[in-house]
Amino acid sequence: MSTDSLWYHLPPPSTVVPTPPAEAPRAPVALSIDGREVEVAAGDTVLDACRTAGASVPTLCYLETLTPVNACRLCVVEQEGARVLVPACSRKAEPGMKIQTASPRVRTARKVVLELLASSVDLSTAGELTPLLEEYGAAPGRFGAGAATVAQPVKDDNDLYVRDYGKCVLCYKCVEACGTDAQHTFAIAVAGRGFQAHISTELDVPLPDSACVYCGNCIAVCPTGALMAKPEFLLRQAEQWAPERQAVTDTICPYCGVGCTLTVHVQDQQIVKVTSPIDNGTTRGHLCVKGRFGFEYVHSEPER
Amino acid sequence: MDLHIVGAEANTDERAAVDAALGAPVTGWDGGTHVATRDGRSARGGREASARRDLLLPALHAVQDRVGHISHGALNYICRRLSVPPAEAWGVVTFYHLLSTHPAPPLVVHVCDDIACRARGADGLCRDLEAAWGPPLTHGGHRADPEAHRGAGEAGARRGWMRSPCLGHCEQAPAALALGAGADGVREEWAPVGGAAGIVARAEALERHAGAAPLDEAGRLAALCAVAPQAGSPSLRILRRVGVVDPERLDAYRASGGYVALARALDMGPASVVAEVVASKLMGRGGAAFPTGRKWEAVAREPARPRYVVCNADESEPGTFKDRVLLEGDPFAIVEAMTICGFATGAEYGYVYIRGEYPMAEARMAGAIVAARAAGLLGPDVMGRGVRFDLEIRRGAGAYICGEETALFNSIEGKRGEPRSKPPFPSQVGLFGQPTVVNNVETLANIPDIVREGGDAWAGIGTPGSTGPKLFCVSGHVARPGVYEVPFGQTLGEVLALAGGVPDGRRLQAILLGGAAGVFVGPEALDMPLTFEGARAASATLGSGVVLVFDDTADLPDMLRRIAQFFRDESCGQCVPCRVGTVRQEELLARLAAGGGDRPAAFELLNELGQAMRDASICGLGQTASSAIETAFARLDLHGFGAPR
């Protein structure tokens, strides 16, 4: 049979381990941040350069795992020769840029942005903004008691999380996490225009009627606590929420073979929250409904 | 994408309207009848459907025109047809003010109460109309007042009205736009409206199906002459055909020198055409005054294909109407200019984005495109020279921000009209992510002359820093409001004199240059040359060419508050400085008008707010939202506006 020339024989397997094609070396980009020369990789942003230079630049709508939308304008810096300030989070670093991260124009813009936010949005659970308000001397009261706000009733329409859009700064992070940056579910989007712009399902239908799959990735990226898991919400209502009393333990999700890293937050012998580290190569901070909310069984003694 | 579409189904009317815009559905997966043997085993067509996302706005328009509002069922059907998530489509619907989210009366009259109409009594007209028809409808999607939806409680009424930002008929103020729903729904511009009584009479005539008859050629030309008072003057270039040559006849256009430039361009070759435009030093006429040649050059240089040509006809700057006059009065010139641009930059397709408030301009352009295509002047073989170029019209839906070029791209692509961050610029990453030339209507109107005469010769018109002719939209308190063409270099006073100056017995109080995003100047600025460099030297701007005149009867503080309200209404809401800043600016003006509180603190706050909006907003809207107000306080006598009472 082996002499039959009509038979096709597979070639012997190659012993050479394939290597990826060599990438052309990219020239580093040299620019100046507050007078300090720094070099960053081509494609890096001005924000990357600022962090390399050790200059602190506040951010709100920026997250490493999401596409920058540069909507909050907190990260603006002054570029020499540019007519307006530039958003550090999305602007690519260019050779020879001269950036000022704390000039009077920059500080005024940031201060006013903080005042506009604090005068229109309930920031009581937006922990990362509180020190900034102080640092920039923001006085939101300047706009008077009658200043319009986005205050509205809490949306509590499902068992897993609540949406308190009176705390929403419209950073677009939840929309991105629900959409192309993580979940690809597209249950929520920005609706309305101007000051009436808000996060909404279609026709503002309750979450259970929408495309939502309850992965909770929107909660994970929300910077102000506008989106909050039910246990945390209830504990906060009862004034029992105490992060300082919580033990935080990393473990592996028991549900499927992916093996996502879970960070379990335990308060008074009860799991109160599950997150995932944002720098985890598998999850990038995102989980599914089971990993994030499927911990109730741990507490149900009889079935255990 | 796993679409999750639940709830209401579209009714027959809604389906018919959508199918008329998109064609009939192919399978059960894109909204058609489910056939188990065909659709039961596999889903096909999702990629093709979502690739047509740019038809979202046309489909929404189709439903709005037929039914008067976008119901949940209609939204679901459109989403199925185009494979768009309903939440995203809802975000698009609620973005545009000409799309209604709630049942509305079959006829809605949008009454302009913006600055130019206000200077001519629009506010009183609105009060009279309220007495006749009841309170105005409001837009949906207002979170602050969930009950205040457009049309809510009015569904049974035969007609309704609402206040509108500038409708672009400032020369015949006050103006209104009538939008009817139904298979024969009207879309008519009413200017001048002849008071509330005029509106009521016209609405009743429509209900009796006794609306105005279509104009004949003489009527068309007469209507244009009323808007362009210089019509017929031999000195005119951009306006040379307006009011003289029938805008609905291609043969008339060709007999008056049309398509000579395109033939010449095809002989010259693309690189030479770009070189002539560069040599002409033509600057964009939309407001930003960017060198047109540099845009064309940049796109021609890009390696990526396809490339696109976009004509920005979303003219919405309060006080501006020149582009409307060109589209209505000389539509073939715009088609020819876009064809030249496509040839020169290697683009084979173009879009004309016309604001939804301009049905007449849209109809004339649509007619011109059909006629040009039939004559082989558009299509796969332009003028028999093997050049491919075609055009289509996209209708805006009531959003000033879509005049910003990147917001306009998003709007065409079926997304919310939110501006993108620049860089990258449109010449690299524009419409559908491809290299794109985007030019204003008036800018394009200059192209045939430049090609015919040569860039250097054309650059001899005007001044060395501001070449060519320029249109100015003169309105407000002048004897003969209208669009006026002058070579660059005339002074503000000379342009004002062309329009007959302020009416006899009145005194000039202030002039708004460049529209709501422009600046106020006082009577002392009459000697200022209306050139880019002259305006810059006087810390002013020409913007889109608005010269809005206020005499001593005008209530300027009221105008300032209307401008603040305009920016609050038109902010897209994307970035914080503009979304909240425009609201705070309006509140501060209200506080000053009430005369209470700490006045110096309020002014300090206004200035700081203005600086932050100018420095930190994403796009030109936020960056200029404080400009008119700040210059008014700095330069005008506001008769103690904001002083403690």
Side-chain angles (χ1 to χ4, degrees), chain A residues 144-177:
Chain A
T149 70
V150 297
Q152 58 190 293
V154 176
K155 283 185 162 60
D156 184 2
D157 55 12
N158 67 84
D159 294 338
L160 296 179
Y161 44 95
V162 295
R163 298 174 291 153
D164 183 356
Y165 289 126
K167 292 178 174 174
C168 175
V169 291
L170 221 66
C171 68
Y172 289 59
K173 279 180 182 169
C174 57
V175 176
E176 294 201 293

Side-chain angles (χ1 to χ4, degrees), chain B residues 456-545:
Chain B
D456 285 328
W458 188 89
I461 307 162
T463 67
S466 309
T467 56
K470 176 78 191 97
L471 299 183
F472 288 100
C473 311
V474 189
S475 65
H477 296 135
V478 289
R480 287 187 302 279
V483 58
Y484 289 88
E485 178 186 321
V486 291
F488 266 119
Q490 304 266 299
T491 65
L492 179 55
E494 283 164 338
V495 169
L496 211 57
L498 270 179
V502 293
D504 285 341
R506 311 256 196 89
R507 187 179 54 80
L508 176 65
Q509 189 180 183
I511 298 169
L512 180 61
L513 289 178
V519 299
F520 272 103
V521 293
E524 70 284 351
L526 287 177
D527 295 332
M528 179 181 96
L530 289 179
T531 57
F532 296 120
E533 60 275 18
R536 219 173 4 251
S539 303
T541 172
L542 299 185
S544 51

Side-chain angles (χ1 to χ4, degrees), chain B residues 39-64:
Chain B
D39 307 331
R41 281 170 180 270
S42 62
R44 291 204 179 82
R47 193 177 298 272
E48 290 82 353
S50 54
R52 302 199 303 165
R53 168 83 183 245
D54 64 297
L55 296 177
L56 179 58
L57 195 52
L60 292 169
H61 270 307
V63 174
Q64 173 73 36

Side-chain angles (χ1 to χ4, degrees), chain B residues 374-417:
Chain B
L377 299 166
L378 283 177
D381 188 18
V382 173
M383 283 189 148
R385 303 283 295 268
V387 173
R388 177 185 291 272
F389 188 75
D390 214 329
L391 268 182
E392 91 181 77
I393 293 178
R394 287 304 169 92
R395 192 206 301 174
Y400 168 70
I401 187 60
C402 289
E404 201 280 340
E405 53 194 13
T406 57
L408 190 155
F409 298 154
N410 279 341
S411 183
I412 292 181
E413 291 177 19
K415 301 170 186 160
R416 292 164 57 77

Side-chain angles (χ1 to χ4, degrees), chain A residues 71 73 85 91 105 111 119 142-143 148 150 152 169 172 186-187 190 192-195 197-198 203 209-210, chain B residues 4 88 91 94-95 97 143 398 416 418 422-423 570-572 575-576 579 584 587 591 605 608 615-616 618:
Chain A
R73 315 307 279 184
L85 303 178
R91 179 62 52 86
R105 269 175 86 191
K111 182 184 80 160
S119 64
R142 291 203 289 167
F143 294 111
V150 297
Q152 58 190 293
V169 291
Y172 289 59
F186 305 97
V190 179
R193 190 167 90 189
F195 197 64
H198 60 288
L203 285 94
D209 295 346
S210 78
Chain B
H4 181 90
E88 280 193 7
T94 52
F95 189 84
H97 278 179
R143 184 180 43 202
R416 292 164 57 77
E418 291 173 355
K422 289 187 277 191
E570 298 297 335
S571 166
C572 80
C575 69
V576 176
R579 177 177 77 235
R584 296 290 178 258
E587 288 170 353
R591 200 201 290 182
L605 199 45
E608 230 174 81
D615 276 348
I618 291 180

